[in-house]
Amino acid sequence: MIKSFLPEIKHTDSGNFFLIAGPCVVESRENVFEVAEKVIAITEKLKIPYIFKSSFKKANRTKGGSFMGIGDEKALEILAEVKAKFGVPVVTDIHESQDAAFAARYVDILQIPAFLCRQTDLLVAAANTGKVVNVKKGQFLSGEAMKFAVDKIVDAGNKKVMLTDRGNSFGYTDLVVDYRNIPAMKETGVPVIMDCTHSLQQPNQASGVSGGKPELIETIAKAAIAVGADGLFIETHPNPSIAKSDGANMLKLDYLEDLMVKLVRLRQAL
């Protein structure tokens, strides 16, 4: 199904899961291209269908002074460069209805953040661009409830929908993954993805900076494949300790290849 959405995506006949990966936010052209080149080399070697991800801006931050981006158009132009140079599809987040048509000029997939997955105007605006729409499941919703997000997009005339799980709120400062949500969302008939990094966030910390448990990324990914996830979402950075957003739960870029080798083997075994 992902091939029908994104005809340019490679290796869909390999039997592997597809991967959405990249730095959380566009920090610089150098950072984006370093990550893209490394991940593409890995996915080509292992024949994993690949979609590059980075947010052109981060609107949802705990503190008002947190980094939000380098400028909307500048960041989107960098993402368009990735697509043009490497020939891979690109996804970015949108946060307001007016972002949809603007971002759609540069990328292939518009991603709806989890906190905004019930925003009808935003979903419809994304649908109206004709681009693929990836909706992240709200931390406050069941997998079954995501059928209504799919319905909103399909009813607007766009059948190119994907859903991504990123955990459920557990108290005020932690998330847990309920793997029942993956088969529940697959009942909608759209590709289902597991966000292996954001689901390990520890939000609402007193410091105003979210924590995380990146040492469990492999565990989350293995379990997601075991229960039938079509794709995996992993944010990665050469040095998460200095990343400008979500560094506490991102995977260090140097660890990605070893993880992908293990996950491909698991997929083949299943």
Side-chain angles (χ1 to χ4, degrees):
M1 184 179 290
I2 192 71
K3 182 73 171 180
S4 66
F5 290 179
L6 301 164
E8 68 270 44
I9 198 168
K10 301 176 183 176
H11 306 307
T12 52
D13 58 351
S14 66
N16 283 326
F17 53 88
F18 64 90
L19 176 67
I20 300 175
C24 179
V25 64
V26 175
E27 298 178 6
S28 66
R29 186 182 184 279
E30 292 73 23
N31 174 257
V32 163
F33 272 73
E34 179 181 359
V35 175
E37 287 175 355
K38 182 71 176 286
V39 180
I40 288 167
I42 294 167
T43 55
E44 283 294 307
K45 179 179 178 181
L46 298 175
K47 299 190 184 317
I48 298 171
Y50 176 54
I51 299 164
F52 180 83
K53 183 270 169 184
S54 194
S55 297
F56 74 94
K57 67 178 175 184
K58 294 296 291 184
N60 175 27
R61 305 310 310 270
T62 303
K63 295 190 294 186
S66 295
F67 179 81
M68 293 181 67
I70 61 173
D72 295 356
E73 190 163 11
K74 181 178 180 181
L76 284 166
E77 286 173 350
I78 291 170
L79 294 179
E81 272 193 82
V82 170
K83 176 178 171 62
K85 178 173 181 178
F86 299 109
V88 296
V90 175
V91 57
T92 199
D93 294 288
I94 60 171
H95 301 86
E96 301 178 79
S97 297
Q98 59 264 32
D99 288 345
F102 177 46
R105 291 159 41 196
Y106 300 89
V107 302
D108 306 279
I109 305 172
L110 301 176
Q111 182 164 278
I112 309 299
F115 285 121
L116 302 176
C117 68
R118 286 169 53 99
Q119 297 297 105
T120 302
D121 286 348
L122 181 60
L123 293 170
V124 171
N128 287 341
T129 67
K131 297 289 183 175
V132 180
V133 183
N134 181 31
V135 188
K136 287 198 169 184
K137 184 187 73 63
Q139 303 91 322
F140 42 86
L141 288 178
S142 68
E144 289 84 355
M146 290 303 291
K147 75 176 291 295
F148 302 110
V150 174
D151 289 347
K152 289 176 183 179
I153 296 166
V154 172
D155 290 347
N158 187 341
K159 295 182 179 180
K160 296 182 289 187
V161 190
M162 306 191 297
L163 294 177
T164 297
D165 192 8
R166 50 100 76 231
N168 282 80
S169 295
F170 186 72
Y172 293 113
T173 59
D174 208 357
L175 298 169
V176 295
V177 177
D178 180 350
Y179 286 96
R180 295 175 299 179
N181 286 326
I182 291 178
M185 291 193 291
K186 284 175 73 75
E187 287 292 317
T188 63
V190 306
V192 174
I193 303 150
M194 183 73 233
D195 184 337
C196 304
T197 46
H198 287 105
S199 56
L200 292 167
Q201 274 186 335
Q202 294 177 309
N204 303 317
Q205 300 296 315
S207 65
V209 179
S210 295
K213 293 185 176 181
E215 67 273 14
L216 292 175
I217 291 171
E218 181 175 328
T219 300
I220 296 291
K222 285 178 174 177
I225 289 173
V227 297
D230 301 293
L232 299 176
F233 179 109
I234 296 176
E235 288 189 337
T236 184
H237 192 282
N239 186 355
S241 66
I242 62 170
K244 296 183 182 295
S245 177
D246 285 353
N249 53 262
M250 274 200 279
L251 181 71
K252 186 174 174 59
L253 186 58
D254 287 345
Y255 299 161
L256 184 65
E257 182 168 2
D258 180 63
L259 175 60
M260 290 298 106
V261 169
K262 293 176 181 177
L263 297 177
V264 166
R265 288 174 180 164
L266 176 60
R267 176 73 171 222
Q268 290 169 345
L270 292 169

